Amino acid sequence: MTRTLAVVTAGLSQPSSSRLLADRLAAATVTTLGEAAVEVIELRDFAVDVTNNLLTGFPSPKLRAAIDTVERADGLIVVTPVFTASYSGLFKSFFDVLDQGVLEGKPVLLGATGGTERHSLVLDLQLRPLFGYLRATPAPTGVYAASSDWGGGDALGALQKRVERAGGELAAMVAGRSPTAGQATEPFASVPFEQLLAGTDGQ
């Protein structure tokens, strides 16, 4: 069965360094995982839809399709630019509109981009707690790319090594997970009376 990867990138410019990093992370993951379908969601194209969803509580068909892509994916790659020492508002708003529990147990690779290396802690201080709260399972290695990392030479090589390590970790997590794992279950599903009695051990 072909695995699916959803890539969510919150870069605002086009092209953006966030999309560039997201593409590298996806390529590294697929290289290790083997055959996989990659679907990219550029949040800049959904800004109005996300805002309307926050106001009305209902997603547009376009946004619903993007949400479904994330929910069905076997693995998730997320990349946000750093604004004011944190993830972008658009990035956070997209994950605010997801139904509770849909990311539970889903492997996720965390990425971020910014102007200087000083913002690299956003991975551990902002992104990791967010996805921990959403009950996703972040890969051990997150990847931060500063402007200097795209300059070529040793800096670009060091970035690529981090990308390959993180992609390999996500691939291993996805490969070891059932394709149906993490799908939302009905919390009020009925349980047969005989099963309830069996669980009491006669007490």
Side-chain angles (χ1 to χ4, degrees), residues 123-201:
L123 293 170
D124 292 323
L125 299 183
Q126 303 288 338
L127 287 174
R128 205 168 289 278
L130 171 62
F131 285 91
Y133 175 80
L134 296 173
R135 288 183 277 178
T137 306
T141 300
V143 180
Y144 176 83
S147 297
S148 58
D149 287 316
W150 304 107
D154 293 341
L156 187 58
L159 172 62
Q160 186 60 28
K161 288 181 180 178
R162 299 197 301 274
V163 165
E164 292 173 359
R165 177 178 177 179
E169 291 172 353
L170 180 63
M173 294 168 69
V174 170
R177 183 172 182 261
S178 168
T180 59
Q183 291 186 358
T185 57
E186 173 54 57
F188 302 109
S190 61
V191 178
F193 185 64
E194 302 82 23
Q195 185 176 336
L196 290 174
L197 285 178
T200 63
D201 294 327

Side-chain angles (χ1 to χ4, degrees), residues 61-99:
K62 176 182 174 182
L63 180 59
R64 180 72 261 173
I67 292 171
D68 289 344
T69 294
V70 170
E71 293 181 358
R72 290 194 305 262
D74 296 302
L76 181 61
I77 297 171
V78 300
V79 182
T80 178
V82 175
F83 292 153
T84 320
S86 185
Y87 37 67
S88 75
L90 178 58
F91 180 86
K92 177 60 164 57
S93 294
F94 176 75
F95 289 100
D96 282 343
V97 303
L98 298 186
D99 291 334

Side-chain angles (χ1 to χ4, degrees), residues 8 26 32 44 66 82 85 96 100 103 106-107 110 116 131 145 154 162 180-181:
V8 176
T32 302
R44 67 187 302 275
V82 175
D96 282 343
Q100 185 175 1
L103 296 186
K106 192 182 297 293
L110 308 177
T116 72
F131 285 91
D154 293 341
R162 299 197 301 274
T180 59

Side-chain angles (χ1 to χ4, degrees), residues 5-30:
L5 297 174
V7 180
V8 176
T9 174
L12 297 182
S13 59
Q14 198 172 34
S16 70
S17 58
S18 293
R19 174 61 190 269
L20 181 58
L21 177 59
D23 287 344
R24 285 176 175 255
L25 292 170
T29 304
V30 172

